Amino acid sequence: MRYSPEFVDRVQEASNLRDVISQYSQLKQSGNGYMGRCPFPDHAEKTPSFSLSESKQVYHCFGCKKSGNIFSFLRDYNGMSFPEAVEYLAERASIPLPEIQTQKNEQDNERYVEQSEHYKSQQDTKKQMLKANKIAAHFFSETLKRAPSDHPIKTYIKKRNLTAETIEEFQIGYAPVEWEGLANHLHKQNISSALAEEAKLIRARKEGNGHFDLFRDRLMFPILSPMQEVLAFGGRIHDQGEPKYLNSPETQVFNKGRVLYGLAHTAKYIRSDDAVIVVEGYMDLVSLFQAGLKNVAATMGTALTAEGAKLIKRLTTNVIVLFDSDEAGQRAAERSLPLLLAAGLYPKGLILKDAKDPDEYVTKFGLQSLKEKIDTSPELFNMVLQMWMADYKGEASQKVKLMDQVRPVFDAISDTRLKSLYAQELSHRMSVPLDWVRSALTGAGSNKDYPRMRSADPHQKEPGVPTQEAKTASSTPLQPLFLLSGASQAEVMLLQFSLKSRANFEIYLSQQILSQISHLGVKNLFEKAEQVYRQDVNKFDRLTSLLIDYVDRPELLFSNSSVGGIGAVDFDVEKENKIIADCCRRIQQTFLKSQAKKM
């Protein structure tokens, strides 16, 4: 669906870029802006180089050169199309979407209306589901608050040492024991039974009329999207009974294989620490977060999935997986190893043998002890290999069986360097020649030849994954109108400093240099900037945010020397005035020389 420029401007005006990016990176105030570590997964850095201007509503990373506004961030980081980003921000700001306008071309009108109505119907259903989930989350939260102090759920919370701050942070609630508590509440809130049933909040009775609640007498954990939308719920039993955890069934807004619990709260810490600790349950994550270990994510009651590994890859490549010491924990370690390696991650593994879960370990031995174990945890490959070789005696049949177990792991590894090192590790532990290991890995059943392993070429495209060019063409509202490539240093610097502050832009205007700028893209961009500025001078702060989607190289709008207003500490007015004047003089000299050649 296309939205008018006026509607997009309204949505953008009502949105704050810092609120969105703060979910993925810890930003600290620096001068007139904010600095932090770059949130983009393909830029691993230890020192902050990511700068954000709240007044201009733009960001720029001086390391990877990514720049943009709130729409480009939602596109590049969360994979949203431009209409999806507009709709998300409009919903967040409580701005109603405009009615769908039909195309003027009568020949295509009927098909367009049909497609639009189908799209609108799907979006409306999803929005209504999210609304129902939000109402349910508030119901569970209020039910917990109203429970008397001697209620069993309050006793359980006290036993697990959950603080009021933690309960508020994670919106933890309680599903009452009554069979129709939530069903009746949703009905009072004008949520139809059909929608509530489709959202998997209630179920129809097999006999007779009416519905009953899916969750009853459980501690409730809302499962949030990165954008803080309530997608589903996880309910934990607080007494004896099975199942221990009950998750919402999948719906139009919830696919458990594509979600990791807690990321809405912990993503910025994962990015900041450049590592994630993966645990198995909601309580494990909440307890560790409360104890001070905040770079955590939890699987959805099932084994880690390939989609979950890809979610992690967007935040970090370093993974430490905490497993229970029972047989189920060992099986989970085996299943997760090839998935993590296939995603290009560097996984480590840790089994806490002295406690049944991380929460109990921290209670017994303290957080520092757990951190030390995490810091010294072995590579997951070596941990799994040790489990597989528990009864290894070096017999020929054992060697063959072990290679059959190991081969799927090697098939998942794309980095030939890592594969080679793991082969050497196998050779050493099995006491067999390295050539034998290589030969065994390329034997029957292997889908890759060892000498011809796929190169870990960062430019190589995965099958079915669109190129950046294709993604850009399909997810942005327009192609760049201003090509800045090839502009002179003086023209680029003039652009950078002019957009830095309103005072600088006024100086640029007083120079009347526009007609002498030789680079067409820079000239057209200045013309657009002047047009917007003269229409409403109060919009200057958002001028960069407006223009950034129109250029082919947005990083050229920023430089380390012109970072004032987007994180700068110093602002030397006299020096910047001199730079602008010098740029104008050099542009004028270039222009006069070109005119002389034409004579």
Side-chain angles (χ1 to χ4, degrees):
M1 176 176 178
R2 295 181 181 274
Y3 296 104
S4 68
E6 293 76 16
F7 181 75
V8 173
D9 286 345
R10 181 185 173 195
V11 170
Q12 190 171 10
E13 288 284 345
S15 305
N16 192 319
L17 178 63
R18 183 167 69 92
D19 291 343
V20 173
I21 294 184
S22 291
Q23 299 174 89
Y24 310 100
S25 180
Q26 296 185 76
L27 301 173
K28 296 182 179 180
Q29 192 158 11
S30 176
N32 298 323
Y34 294 84
M35 295 292 293
R37 289 184 57 200
C38 182
F40 289 99
D42 55 351
H43 182 203
E45 62 173 0
K46 298 298 182 182
T47 56
S49 65
F50 184 84
S51 182
L52 180 146
S53 170
E54 191 167 24
S55 61
K56 295 178 182 294
Q57 288 294 296
V58 294
Y59 63 87
H60 178 66
C61 179
F62 293 101
C64 68
K65 307 303 180 185
K66 284 187 173 66
S67 304
N69 55 20
I70 196 167
F71 296 116
S72 58
F73 182 82
L74 292 172
R75 177 196 68 204
D76 296 338
Y77 191 91
N78 285 300
M80 290 184 178
S81 66
F82 183 77
E84 287 172 340
V86 173
E87 290 163 10
Y88 163 72
L89 293 173
E91 178 75 17
R92 182 175 175 138
S94 299
I95 299 175
L97 297 178
E99 293 295 324
I100 295 178
Q101 300 296 318
T102 58
Q103 294 178 342
K104 294 181 180 180
N105 187 334
E106 295 183 1
Q107 185 175 1
D108 296 330
N109 188 59
E110 185 176 345
R111 182 172 58 181
Y112 176 78
V113 170
E114 182 179 345
Q115 291 174 345
S116 297
E117 288 177 349
H118 176 69
Y119 172 79
K120 187 175 186 298
S121 175
Q122 282 188 322
Q123 294 303 108
D124 286 346
T125 300
K126 289 181 179 180
K127 288 175 183 177
Q128 289 301 312
M129 279 189 183
L130 293 173
K131 178 182 177 181
N133 288 340
K134 185 177 181 179
I135 292 172
H138 185 262
F139 170 78
F140 294 140
S141 177
E142 290 299 310
T143 303
L144 178 59
K145 291 176 183 177
R146 292 195 303 268
S149 58
D150 60 348
H151 192 285
I153 195 64
K154 290 287 183 71
T155 303
Y156 176 76
I157 287 174
K158 186 176 181 180
K159 176 184 174 183
R160 298 305 298 258
N161 299 312
L162 293 182
T163 66
E165 292 76 15
T166 298
I167 291 172
E168 185 72 21
E169 169 78 24
F170 289 91
Q171 303 175 38
I172 297 172
Y174 172 63
V177 68
E178 291 81 16
W179 282 74
E180 299 176 347
L182 177 60
N184 291 335
H185 179 74
L186 292 173
H187 179 71
K188 292 177 183 178
Q189 297 295 318
N190 296 319
I191 301 297
S192 69
S193 297
L195 177 66
E197 187 176 356
E198 191 174 359
K200 309 301 182 185
L201 295 170
I202 63 175
R203 285 179 177 169
R205 296 184 182 277
K206 291 183 178 179
E207 297 181 2
N209 299 322
H211 294 76
F212 63 91
D213 298 350
L214 177 66
F215 297 98
R216 299 181 305 281
D217 197 22
R218 287 178 178 268
L219 193 65
M220 299 299 295
F221 298 84
I223 300 166
L224 306 182
S225 74
M227 299 304 167
Q228 304 290 324
E229 299 163 316
V230 183
L231 302 177
F233 295 91
R236 192 195 191 285
I237 198 80
H238 63 88
D239 199 355
Q240 300 298 318
E242 292 294 337
K244 181 178 178 181
Y245 283 105
L246 178 65
N247 290 325
S248 295
E250 294 192 353
T251 66
Q252 286 191 44
V253 298
F254 176 59
N255 183 316
K256 63 183 178 181
R258 298 176 183 174
V259 177
L260 290 173
Y261 176 72
L263 285 186
H265 310 273
T266 66
K268 57 185 176 184
Y269 301 105
I270 295 169
R271 188 74 189 100
S272 177
D273 294 342
D274 194 20
V276 60
I277 301 160
V278 179
V279 295
E280 294 186 72
Y282 307 111
M283 278 302 306
D284 290 341
L285 182 143
V286 170
S287 298
L288 289 179
F289 188 94
Q290 178 176 283
L293 201 61
K294 298 188 175 183
N295 57 323
V296 194
T299 56
M300 300 299 302
T302 59
L304 190 69
T305 64
E307 290 85 355
K310 290 177 182 178
L311 282 177
I312 292 172
K313 181 69 178 293
R314 293 167 63 177
L315 300 171
T316 182
T317 56
N318 302 307
V319 186
I320 304 96
V321 193
L322 266 63
F323 299 102
D324 292 341
S325 57
D326 56 12
E327 183 178 349
Q330 294 182 14
R331 299 289 83 78
E334 294 174 6
R335 291 193 299 269
S336 64
L337 177 58
L339 294 174
L340 292 169
L341 291 172
L345 302 172
Y346 301 109
K348 293 185 177 183
L350 178 60
I351 292 179
L352 299 174
K353 297 182 179 179
D354 301 323
K356 68 177 185 294
D357 55 42
D359 182 32
E360 184 179 87
Y361 187 93
V362 171
T363 302
K364 283 185 176 180
F365 306 105
L367 180 63
Q368 187 57 37
S369 176
L370 179 59
K371 286 184 175 179
E372 290 173 1
K373 280 189 171 292
I374 290 172
D375 291 341
T376 58
S377 56
E379 288 196 28
L380 185 56
F381 174 82
N382 291 333
M383 191 183 86
V384 171
L385 186 59
Q386 185 174 349
M387 290 191 302
W388 285 343
M389 297 183 69
D391 299 320
Y392 184 74
K393 299 176 183 178
E395 297 174 352
S397 60
Q398 286 183 315
K399 294 176 182 178
V400 172
K401 290 178 182 179
L402 181 58
M403 294 309 298
D404 286 341
Q405 283 182 292
V406 169
R407 186 183 294 137
V409 176
F410 273 74
D411 285 349
I413 304 173
S414 60
D415 191 326
T416 56
R417 300 165 300 174
L418 187 62
K419 186 176 287 191
S420 178
L421 291 171
Y422 280 173
Q424 293 179 39
E425 182 72 19
L426 269 175
S427 171
H428 172 72
R429 292 202 180 197
M430 295 176 66
S431 299
V432 295
L434 181 58
D435 287 344
W436 185 88
V437 172
R438 289 175 171 170
S439 175
L441 289 173
T442 57
S446 174
N447 63 12
K448 293 184 181 179
D449 292 337
Y450 191 91
R452 300 178 183 175
M453 290 180 295
R454 182 166 65 87
S455 170
D457 180 1
H459 302 294
Q460 184 172 345
K461 302 294 187 296
E462 295 180 14
V465 179
T467 63
Q468 183 59 40
E469 292 78 5
K471 287 170 65 179
T472 301
S474 64
S475 61
T476 55
L478 42 78
Q479 294 298 312
L481 300 180
F482 308 116
L483 305 179
L484 302 184
S485 301
S488 68
Q489 183 181 18
E491 292 169 328
V492 171
M493 287 184 66
L494 178 62
L495 185 61
Q496 292 168 347
F497 279 89
S498 297
L499 293 177
K500 181 179 175 182
S501 70
R502 182 170 167 177
N504 286 359
F505 198 76
E506 288 285 357
I507 293 173
Y508 150 75
L509 291 175
S510 69
Q511 295 288 324
Q512 297 184 346
I513 195 73
L514 180 62
S515 62
Q516 298 180 33
I517 295 175
S518 60
H519 190 278
L520 184 60
V522 175
K523 178 181 289 188
N524 290 341
L525 189 59
F526 265 123
E527 288 177 343
K528 177 69 174 178
E530 286 188 35
Q531 177 187 354
V532 174
Y533 182 70
R534 294 186 190 283
Q535 287 175 352
D536 186 353
V537 295
N538 295 319
K539 279 191 173 182
F540 177 82
D541 282 344
R542 295 201 176 223
L543 185 57
T544 306
S545 176
L546 171 66
L547 297 175
I548 207 161
D549 274 336
Y550 289 83
V551 300
D552 63 329
R553 296 183 60 190
E555 71 274 9
L556 292 181
L557 300 182
F558 309 90
S559 77
N560 288 317
S561 60
S562 66
V563 69
I566 186 168
V569 177
D570 299 321
F571 184 80
D572 192 329
V573 176
E574 184 177 346
K575 181 179 179 181
E576 294 191 5
N577 290 350
K578 184 177 180 301
I579 291 174
I580 293 173
D582 183 59
C583 288
C584 289
R585 184 171 56 254
R586 288 159 59 188
I587 290 171
Q588 188 177 47
Q589 289 173 351
T590 302
F591 173 75
L592 293 175
K593 287 180 182 179
S594 65
Q595 291 297 105
K597 290 180 180 179
K598 295 178 181 179
M599 297 176 65

